[in-house]
Amino acid sequence: MNRPLTSLGVLMAIVGVFLFYGVFVGFTAGFAAMLLAIILLPIGSGLAFYGAAFRGAYAAQPKVAGGGGGATTGTVWAAIAVAVVAILLAVASLSVAFSAQSNINSVNTQITQANNSIASLNGTLATSGAVPSTVAVKIDWCNLDNTGQDRFCPNEIIVNQGDIVQLMFLHNDSDVHTFTLDTGSYSFQINGSEAGMHDFLSNQNLAGPCSNSGTFAEESAGISGTYCVSGTSLLSSSFLSSHGSSNFKVIQNGNPASAPPDLEEIPVNDMVHVVLFNDTVSEVWGIGAFQATQPGIYEFFCHYHVSNGMFGYLIVLPNPYCNTHASVCGVTSSSG
Ligand SMILES: [Cu+2]
């Protein structure tokens, strides 16, 4: 055995295998490592085989005086064959490894491109938002829940910041009800009252229309004790006209509180309409509009029955569009 040659061959083969493994796993990825693996592994294998076979060949040789013995020609060719086989295996394996790596790289590239597209879309949505629109909302008085108490139906209004909210509030109760929004920067009221209707708070019948009983702080915020539809947030007819919002966006029956339907466009005229039946108030409905200028959650309520649970929420979703189009959204410096 040629021990130094065998040791060198084994060492080279081990280093080649290490590099080979490294190329597969990725921590020695690169052309130089691949080349070195291809060189070291077969040469090391061949040398190790040759060195190991040298002993057998030496032992098989007849002793010749003065001669040291050596490898036969067959042993040399066998070592070369081992090296060639190692070369073929290494090249084939590395080509598979690089082919797989190529596919992984391709998939990674596609994932990166998809992520970039998603980020771009998110960025567009986050910075552009929604162009404000006109939203028609109809809210009824009702007492359908388990308490049997007065409620708003529905009791939530969800809009985007900047939207123009056309609000129709109606009831056919003998008690007076209001839709009052007087929180945050909002001041808006539809007062569905009429002479002869019952005031829950005073337990008296009203002497005239549009009454807030003259005792509510809301009146100092712009909500009127005289006008049935009022508040500093109430949009003017000229504003509505310039925004194409003069008529309720959803075609209604002529008297929204009654059937059968007689569909027509109803003007948003800041009025409360009283419907009589046999000289008695049977239905009251009012209509007006405000702009959802400030995002957030704001309570609206009925003056008379808020303590009974007649309240709901205006939910104004923040709209990035309003960051760059403040005037369109009605955002003023004083209101933030
Ligand atoms: Cu009420």
Side-chain angles (χ1 to χ4, degrees):
M1 175 183 187
N2 190 327
R3 192 178 298 276
L5 202 59
T6 305
S7 301
L8 179 65
V10 168
L11 183 65
M12 288 173 70
I14 288 174
V15 172
V17 167
F18 175 77
L19 290 172
F20 198 46
Y21 174 75
V23 169
F24 261 108
V25 175
F27 65 84
T28 57
F31 182 75
M34 178 190 71
L35 195 64
L36 209 55
I38 289 178
I39 292 171
L40 289 178
L41 187 59
I43 292 180
S45 304
L47 284 178
F49 180 83
Y50 182 80
F54 191 81
R55 179 181 57 177
Y58 181 83
Q61 287 291 317
K63 292 286 184 182
V64 177
T72 63
T73 304
T75 304
V76 173
W77 281 112
I80 291 172
V82 167
V84 169
V85 169
I87 286 175
L88 292 176
L89 285 174
V91 170
S93 301
L94 283 172
S95 69
V96 169
F98 272 85
S99 173
Q101 188 62 48
S102 174
N103 287 338
I104 291 171
N105 288 342
S106 173
V107 171
N108 281 338
T109 301
Q110 291 175 38
I111 290 173
T112 302
Q113 288 172 346
N115 281 338
N116 288 341
S117 298
I118 291 170
S120 173
L121 284 173
N122 282 340
T124 302
L125 286 173
T127 55
S128 64
V131 177
S133 61
T134 299
V135 179
V137 178
K138 186 173 79 172
I139 292 188
D140 290 89
W141 156 81
C142 61
N143 57 2
L144 301 174
D145 72 4
N146 289 340
T147 65
Q149 297 290 333
D150 297 319
R151 295 288 186 266
F152 288 109
C153 286
N155 60 5
E156 281 183 350
I157 302 171
I158 303 175
V159 294
N160 288 326
Q161 183 186 12
D163 283 351
I164 294 171
V165 183
Q166 297 176 328
L167 188 74
M168 179 185 289
F169 172 58
L170 61 160
H171 71 81
N172 62 345
D173 192 17
S174 55
D175 260 28
V176 179
H177 301 283
T178 73
F179 173 96
T180 304
L181 173 64
D182 192 36
T183 49
S185 60
Y186 296 98
S187 167
F188 177 89
Q189 178 175 266
I190 295 175
N191 188 339
S193 60
E194 176 61 16
M197 300 183 80
H198 181 249
D199 178 340
F200 173 78
L201 297 175
S202 67
N203 199 23
Q204 305 273 317
N205 284 350
L206 294 181
C210 311
S211 174
N212 273 333
S213 299
T215 57
F216 296 99
E218 289 78 30
E219 291 168 23
S220 63
I223 291 174
S224 172
T226 304
Y227 297 103
C228 295
V229 181
S230 62
T232 53
S233 299
L234 184 64
L235 295 176
S236 67
S237 57
S238 60
F239 181 95
L240 292 176
S241 177
S242 65
H243 287 74
S245 306
S246 297
N247 289 340
F248 199 60
K249 193 177 179 184
V250 177
I251 296 177
Q252 267 284 356
N253 42 321
N255 171 10
S258 70
D262 176 18
L263 299 181
E264 63 181 68
E265 291 192 350
I266 292 181
V268 182
N269 56 8
D270 303 340
M271 287 178 62
V272 164
H273 305 254
V274 178
V275 180
L276 299 177
F277 182 74
N278 290 338
D279 296 328
T280 303
V281 174
S282 62
E283 292 147 356
V284 179
W285 63 277
I287 192 167
F290 64 91
Q291 190 168 24
T293 55
Q294 296 301 306
I297 301 174
Y298 304 92
E299 183 185 33
F300 58 81
F301 54 93
C302 168
H303 267 316
Y304 299 93
H305 304 99
V306 61
S307 60
N308 295 19
M310 191 172 177
F311 55 82
Y313 297 98
L314 166 69
I315 300 170
V316 182
L317 304 174
N319 188 355
Y321 182 91
C322 298
N323 296 336
T324 50
H325 302 79
S327 63
V328 175
C329 295
V331 179
T332 62
S333 56
S334 60
S335 58

